[in-house]
């Protein structure tokens, strides 16, 4: 893992990722511009990939009205579920083909946007969905994709990754390819005003995790850190405002920007151990991704210790938690404590429902396989093994250390299961 990461670091840091960043259209009511944008991209019969709830609540209405104003016919696929599965993706593929579509509009949270990306991958290069897992397996240009997030946190509107759930194995697998990048991201804060507090908190802390991990990862560069830091500063200033008052348009808009910035940062700087642990918890226990990230983040930062004191102390000063004269260790601890305080103020869970002692070893092992680039066998899939560099972690974690962290999330207050 260390050798692969070292080699990947040079490749990633030399890449001019910013040239792939989607064009941004932002501001209140900007979703109403999607029709003209779709038309400019050559779409005549786009598919809208979303979920039933957004349709029922009328959140999708500005998009539908905009498409109709421009005279565009469209197909609506609204069967996306949280943690989208292979079946959800393939149903979307079927809808795209039956509608004779020529472009994709992803409308919703990360699940909708990820589903749309993988639908596009299949349309471009049909093969079993699991064969896209890993890096650069799409290989062909997908149909034009517009992403309109209705949550602020996943950053999927500006990343080249998608996460799909494998129901049989109770795991999630990641598809990473620059071809999955949307052409446009429309950031309309009005779409988020009715977002429930719990979702605001979970997605906001997802963005926070992206921003912090991309700052401390070994892939990070001066440029990626600028994106990370801007995101962290916005989240510290505006996330709690969003949580307390969902109709605060300014705060909603700023957190949307923070989510976008964190998405760019994670593509450039990578992630660390928080995400693979969160993926493992989500795959087996269906813990919402942002909730899992919020739980795991402070414990992983504490594990890194002095390996991240420089970085965390810098962020602590940037968000106004102290001054450089206080010392790096003290500032780093202040930063971690503030992360915990924010989660607590937003009433976020601190344990995983269903997690038992007997699960700890398996969850830790799964997490480390993902983190260390060991999801593929060097014997049966040597190219996939070599392409998977794992995560650019600032300090190496072993099985016992990972188990110690996972054990923190057992709910010991839950009643024991009946033996009957």
């Amino acid at each position: 893992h260390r050798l692969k990461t070292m080699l990947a670091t040079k490749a990633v840091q030399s890449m001019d990722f910013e040239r792939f960043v989607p064009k941004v259209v932002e501001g209140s009511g900007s979703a109403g511009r999607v029709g003209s944008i779709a038309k400019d991209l050559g779409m005549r019969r786009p598919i809208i990939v979303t979920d039933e709830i957004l349709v029922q609540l009328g959140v999708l209405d500005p998009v539908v009205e905009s498409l109709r104003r421009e005279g565009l016919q469209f197909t609506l696929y609204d069967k996306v579920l949280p943690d989208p599965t292979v079946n959800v993706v393939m149903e979307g593929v079927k809808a795209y083909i039956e509608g004779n579509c020529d472009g994709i509009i992803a409308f919703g949270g990360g699940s909708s946007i990820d589903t749309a990306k993988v639908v596009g991958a299949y349309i471009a290069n049909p093969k079993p969905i699991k064969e896209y897992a890993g890096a650069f397996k799409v290989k062909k240009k997908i149909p034009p994709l517009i992403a309109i997030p209705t949550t602020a946190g996943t950053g999927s509107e500006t990343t080249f990754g998608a996460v799909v759930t494998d129901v049989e194995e109770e795991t999630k697998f990641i598809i990473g390819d620059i071809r999955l990048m949307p052409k446009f991201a429309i950031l309309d804060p009005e779409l988020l005003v009715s977002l429930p507090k719990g979702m605001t908190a979970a997605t906001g802390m997802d963005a926070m995790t992206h921003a912090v991990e991309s700052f401390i990862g070994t892939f990070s560069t001066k440029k990626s850190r600028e994106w990370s830091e801007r995101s962290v500063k916005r989240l510290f200033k505006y996330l709690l405002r969003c949580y307390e008052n969902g109709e605060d348009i300014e705060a909603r808009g700023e957190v949307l920007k923070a989510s976008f910035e964190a998405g760019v940062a994670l593509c450039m700087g990578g992630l660390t151990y928080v995400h693979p642990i969160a993926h493992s918890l989500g795959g087996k226990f269906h813990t919402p991704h942002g909730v899992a990230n919020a739980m795991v983040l402070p414990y992983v930062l504490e594990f890194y210790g002095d390996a991240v004191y420089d970085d965390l102390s810098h962020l602590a000063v940037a968000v106004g938690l102290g001054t450089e004269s206080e010392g790096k260790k003290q500032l780093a601890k202040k930063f971690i404590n503030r992360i915990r305080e924010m989660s607590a103020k937003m009433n976020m869970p601190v344990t995983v429902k269903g997690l038992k002692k007997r699960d700890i070893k398996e969850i830790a092992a799964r997490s480390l396989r993902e983190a260390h680039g060991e999801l593929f066998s060097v014997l049966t899939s040597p190219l996939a093994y070599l392409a998977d560099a794992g995560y650019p972690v600032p300090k190496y974690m072993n099985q016992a250390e990972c188990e110690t962290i996972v054990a923190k999330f057992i709910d010991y207050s839950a009643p024991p299961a009946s033996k009957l």
Side-chain angles (χ1 to χ4, degrees):
H1 168 237
R2 294 171 183 173
L3 176 60
K4 288 196 292 182
T5 301
M6 181 180 68
L7 295 174
T9 298
K10 293 183 179 180
V12 172
Q13 291 182 339
S14 65
M15 183 178 181
D16 181 16
F17 177 79
E18 287 183 315
R19 68 190 179 96
F20 299 107
V21 174
K23 295 178 181 177
V24 176
V25 176
E26 61 182 328
S28 294
S30 56
R33 296 174 58 187
V34 66
S36 61
I37 294 170
K39 213 170 191 178
D40 289 344
L41 289 174
M43 297 187 198
R44 294 297 177 265
R45 299 178 63 91
I47 186 172
I48 302 173
V49 178
T50 187
D51 66 67
E52 289 181 339
I53 295 176
L54 292 175
V55 176
Q56 292 168 3
L57 293 177
V59 183
L60 183 66
D61 290 353
V63 170
V64 171
E65 292 166 5
S66 178
L67 295 176
R68 286 175 174 161
R69 277 197 308 272
E70 295 295 331
L72 299 180
Q73 295 181 330
F74 61 89
T75 294
L76 177 62
Y77 175 61
D78 62 357
K79 305 302 180 186
V80 176
L81 300 171
D83 301 321
T85 63
V86 170
N87 286 341
V88 167
V89 172
M90 291 309 298
E91 286 179 11
V93 168
K94 181 181 177 183
Y96 185 102
I97 294 171
E98 290 179 349
N100 193 28
C101 298
D102 56 9
I104 306 172
I105 298 171
F107 185 89
S111 294
S112 292
I113 300 174
D114 283 3
T115 299
K117 290 177 178 178
V118 186
V119 167
Y122 189 93
I123 294 299
N125 185 17
K127 58 183 177 180
I129 300 300
K130 284 201 72 173
E131 291 188 14
Y132 300 114
F136 307 111
K137 302 285 189 65
V138 177
K139 296 184 178 180
K140 294 183 180 180
K141 183 180 179 181
I142 71 170
L145 171 61
I146 300 170
I148 309 175
T150 60
T151 64
T154 69
S156 190
E157 70 275 8
T158 184
T159 66
F160 55 77
V163 181
V164 179
T165 298
D166 186 322
V167 176
E168 293 181 0
E169 296 187 11
E170 296 183 318
T171 59
K172 295 183 178 184
F173 59 91
I174 300 173
I175 300 169
D177 196 306
I178 204 72
R179 296 169 183 84
L180 297 180
M181 188 73 72
K183 295 293 186 184
F184 276 84
I186 299 178
L187 308 181
D188 186 345
E190 290 187 8
L191 301 176
L192 280 70
V193 294
S194 60
L195 196 67
K197 282 191 170 185
M199 185 67 74
T200 297
T203 54
M205 291 307 292
D206 190 14
M208 182 75 78
T209 304
H210 294 161
V212 174
E213 284 201 283
S214 59
F215 193 86
I216 65 176
T218 58
F219 285 172
S220 66
T221 62
K222 181 178 183 293
K223 182 61 70 174
S224 73
R225 288 175 179 229
E226 290 173 358
W227 286 95
S228 301
E229 184 174 332
R230 283 198 298 269
S231 178
V232 171
K233 289 167 75 171
R234 288 191 208 275
L235 290 166
F236 267 71
K237 185 174 182 179
Y238 292 104
L239 179 54
L240 289 177
R241 270 179 57 178
C242 275
Y243 180 80
E244 295 297 339
N245 178 13
E247 296 184 357
D248 185 334
I249 290 292
E250 180 191 13
R252 288 291 192 192
E254 291 294 325
V255 174
L256 260 178
K257 288 181 185 177
S259 175
F260 183 90
E261 290 165 340
V264 175
L266 77 86
C267 288
M268 299 171 72
L271 300 168
T272 73
Y273 283 116
V274 180
H275 267 72
I277 296 173
H279 288 157
S280 297
L281 293 172
K284 187 170 180 65
F285 300 105
H286 309 292
T287 309
H289 183 61
V291 172
N293 275 340
M295 286 185 204
V296 178
L297 179 59
Y299 289 106
V300 169
L301 294 180
E302 287 174 339
F303 163 77
Y304 290 144
D306 59 7
V308 295
Y309 284 166
D310 282 354
D311 292 337
L312 296 188
S313 64
H314 176 93
L315 291 176
V317 172
V319 299
L321 294 179
T323 63
E324 293 180 0
S325 62
E326 295 181 54
K328 293 178 179 179
K329 181 176 181 179
Q330 182 67 19
L331 287 167
K333 287 185 175 182
K334 278 189 174 184
F335 186 83
I336 296 169
N337 288 339
R338 182 57 177 160
I339 293 287
R340 281 200 171 99
E341 289 169 5
M342 291 179 70
S343 292
K345 285 183 177 180
M346 294 187 290
N347 298 304
M348 298 196 71
V350 293
T351 57
V352 173
K353 185 177 180 180
L355 177 64
K356 307 295 183 185
K357 285 185 178 179
R358 63 176 178 268
D359 302 311
I360 293 174
K361 184 175 182 180
E362 175 193 355
I363 293 296
R366 284 185 182 184
S367 302
L368 294 182
R369 282 199 300 273
E370 179 182 333
H372 296 161
E374 297 170 352
L375 293 175
F376 303 96
S377 168
V378 68
L379 298 177
T380 59
S381 304
L383 294 179
Y385 173 81
L386 291 173
D388 183 5
Y391 289 64
V393 299
K395 177 182 175 181
Y396 201 77
M397 183 184 293
N398 62 33
Q399 175 74 18
E401 290 163 338
C402 192
E403 288 182 14
T404 298
I405 290 175
V406 175
K408 304 286 187 183
F409 313 125
I410 295 175
D411 184 2
Y412 289 100
S413 67
S418 171
K419 295 182 180 180
L420 298 178

